[in-house]
Amino acid sequence: MQVLTSYLGDRWQAGDAAGAATLVNPTTEAPVATASTRGLDLGAALAHARTVGGPALRALTFAERGALLAAMSKAIHAERDALIEIGRINAGNTRGDAKFDVDGATGTLMYYAGLARELGERRTLLDGEALTLGRPGTRLQGQHVLLPREGVALHINAFNFPAWGLAEKAACALLAGMPVLAKPATATAWMTWHMVKVVVDAGILPPGALALLTGSVGDLLDHVQPADAIAFTGGAETGFAIRSHPRVLRAGVPVNIEADSLNATVLAPDAEDATVDAFLRHLHKEMTQKAGQKCTGTRRILVPHDLLGEVKEDLSRRLADTLVGDPADDAVHMGPLATAGQQKGAREGLAQLQTQADVVFQGEGPLVGVEPGRGYFQRPVLLQARDPHAPGPVHDVEVFGPVATLLPYDGTVEEAAALVRLGQGSLVGSLYGDDRAFLRDAILALGAHHGRLVVTDAKVADQALHPGLVMPHLTHGGPGRAGGGTELGGPRGLALYQQRVGVQGNGPLIAKLLDA
Ligand code: NAP
């Protein structure tokens, strides 16, 4: 069985075996790896990153840090097949699911490497133009400057994207000039561990720039200091516990939270055939990719009354054609959920949804290549809300699996917006339609409730990207129950790791001093 160690203080360290968690193959339930953090000195690990990794990264220019990201991307890409296999064994990923995660990771690192080339041979970034502070013609000016925070970026990630989760956060922090301590979710940590091992073995990063904590978080948060920053992805309750941790509050450490979300998709009335086709294609993908375990997955489906029958029938057919089973079989579209706990949570959530919604489609039949009774499988389920306007589980309970609920509506922006807003803030919303007035009014009505809106009309329908695909160019995060955080978005993704300082004085002198 694979023992997953932690990489702290530039050394691989194993925690006490007596406190080890066991990672399993969710298809067979066989144990595959162990991880323990018990007895590890996390205070010393953070101190090492602050004193060794931080200065080394801050000495580099953006272009030099970008070259490190490009090298990381290449080294990880070279291990793509091994990582895909780990995704199958430890997370129940089909080949397509694991590729989505791993290629998302390497693509994001490469995107930030490109951005770094544009930022060039500088160590600081100016935020806006110089501002005159007084009478016209005075030399007195102010300039906002962005400098790397001098602590550690603590990255606590969810189980569903062990590759991309590491890379999207590390790319931004390292490029900003902050060392990283990454803590993947224990249940699927093997893939993250392998990626860090590849990067360490290749000797890409300066000493102290990257640390890995594999297993329980232990007393990590008791050691945070004011210059640190925390980026968390996971459940809302855990996010709340981190945000309200006494040491985090006292030290004033900024916390970015990416939590759960009941993302909605809206089909506008009178959409062209190509638009409706993209809507259905994307919906099926969002429900079944990674067995629905995506924070950006679609949970609520708004369809005008007159299109409801067509949508139900088409989507049910697509779901019925979705082969569920052992992800090792290339014919299988959807594997199991990642853990027994996730399966239990999905079943409980589904029962809650059924207090407000009827089942329209329920996957059935034998699982491909799976021993009967084994594995943490959840077949696709499509529901329809009895009263779409009633607050409650349909707008509140995120079933982290291949489950979504139809909400019929009258085809007006007003009603669509009222329903979507019941979700209280989402990572991503999507609009499918060809009526320009509808699309404009819907963007204005829904924009403030989302981190990202994906608009698909007939002209882009064949090339449109499904809404769950997070692009590094645009922000990822959302208001309200989605956590209120923001990550990525090109240079915006560096903000958590930078201190903005207003430098005030002799304007021309300051401009010269900050030139590089
Ligand atoms: P989770 O149970 O909240 O765990 C997330 C991470 O927090 C794990 O690394 C976990 O470690 C750690 N953790 C647990 N208790 C902690 C504590 N008291 N202090 C500090 N860290 C702690 O979430 P999950 O089950 O892995 O992920 C599923 C949820 O994440 C879903 O609700 C999904 O919507 C959300 N999610 C959101 C996004 C987004 O970008 N918004 C992306 C993916 C997933 P252990 O694993 O060791 O317990």
Side-chain angles (χ1 to χ4, degrees), residues 8-34:
L8 304 172
D10 290 314
R11 280 191 305 123
W12 288 103
Q13 303 185 34
D16 184 348
T22 302
L23 287 66
V24 300
N25 180 331
T27 308
T28 62
E29 303 182 29
V32 294
T34 61

Side-chain angles (χ1 to χ4, degrees), residues 41-382:
D41 186 344
L42 305 187
L46 291 176
H48 179 84
R50 279 185 209 109
T51 53
V52 178
L57 285 167
R58 293 196 295 275
L60 302 177
T61 64
F62 285 104
E64 288 167 334
R65 292 176 208 151
L68 302 179
L69 301 183
M72 284 173 72
S73 177
K74 284 185 191 145
I76 294 166
H77 181 74
E79 283 291 298
R80 188 173 186 251
D81 283 338
L83 289 165
I84 288 171
E85 182 60 3
I86 292 171
R88 180 184 71 77
I89 295 170
N90 180 209
N93 291 167
T94 62
R95 190 173 168 79
D97 290 340
K99 278 200 293 192
F100 187 61
D101 192 10
V102 175
D103 294 348
T106 51
T108 302
L109 285 164
M110 248 341 161
Y111 167 81
Y112 274 99
L115 180 68
R117 278 193 295 278
E118 284 172 32
L119 298 176
E121 300 296 340
R122 304 180 57 95
R123 289 181 184 78
T124 55
L125 286 181
L126 304 183
D127 179 16
E129 302 288 317
L131 307 160
T132 300
L133 305 175
R135 291 190 313 276
T138 176
R139 294 175 79 90
L140 271 189
Q141 288 184 344
Q143 171 70 58
H144 288 109
V145 185
L146 299 167
L147 295 173
R149 297 175 67 84
E150 295 190 0
V152 186
L154 280 74
H155 292 165
I156 301 177
N157 275 317
F159 75 88
N160 55 339
F161 282 99
W164 182 83
L166 170 80
E168 57 107 22
K169 287 185 173 65
C172 293
L174 293 172
L175 181 54
M178 272 192 98
V180 168
L181 183 144
K183 190 226 136 351
T186 304
T188 57
W190 190 353
M191 193 185 280
T192 318
W193 179 85
H194 193 82
M195 287 167 68
V196 171
K197 190 159 184 326
V198 164
V199 171
V200 168
D201 288 352
I204 293 168
L205 294 171
L210 181 62
L212 174 73
L213 185 64
T214 320
S216 155
V217 74
D219 64 357
L220 182 69
L221 297 182
D222 293 337
H223 302 285
V224 295
Q225 292 200 355
D228 296 339
I230 300 175
F232 165 78
T233 296
E237 282 306 311
T238 317
F240 179 73
I242 293 173
R243 206 195 307 256
S244 55
H245 186 284
R247 175 70 201 154
V248 172
L249 286 175
R250 274 206 192 90
V253 176
V255 181
N256 191 78
I257 294 188
E258 301 289 334
D260 50 20
S261 162
L262 274 99
N263 309 298
T265 186
V266 180
L267 179 61
D270 303 323
E272 293 184 22
D273 287 352
T275 310
V276 178
D277 187 57
F279 169 79
L280 291 162
R281 204 171 60 238
H282 290 175
L283 250 179
H284 177 251
K285 182 142 211 161
E286 292 305 337
M287 283 185 71
T288 57
Q289 189 173 45
K290 286 197 145 251
Q293 300 167 106
K294 285 196 312 189
C295 54
T296 50
T298 303
R299 310 290 173 199
R300 298 178 298 154
I301 309 166
L302 276 70
V303 181
H305 293 291
D306 59 336
L307 294 171
L308 186 64
E310 183 189 329
V311 168
K312 262 195 224 179
E313 192 183 320
D314 189 297
L315 192 54
S316 298
R317 184 181 47 71
R318 288 176 199 250
L319 292 172
D321 289 345
T322 304
L323 277 189
V324 185
D326 182 351
D329 185 329
D330 281 344
V332 163
H333 290 102
M334 208 179 82
L337 302 183
T339 64
Q342 287 299 319
Q343 185 191 43
K344 182 168 175 282
R347 286 178 177 172
E348 288 169 358
L350 189 52
Q352 285 181 277
L353 294 187
Q354 283 180 262
T355 61
Q356 283 193 313
D358 299 319
V359 173
V360 167
F361 171 85
Q362 160 80 63
E364 55 190 16
L367 298 164
V368 178
V370 178
E371 201 182 312
R374 284 267 167 218
Y376 311 131
F377 289 90
Q378 169 65 54
R379 291 185 177 81
V381 181
L382 181 65

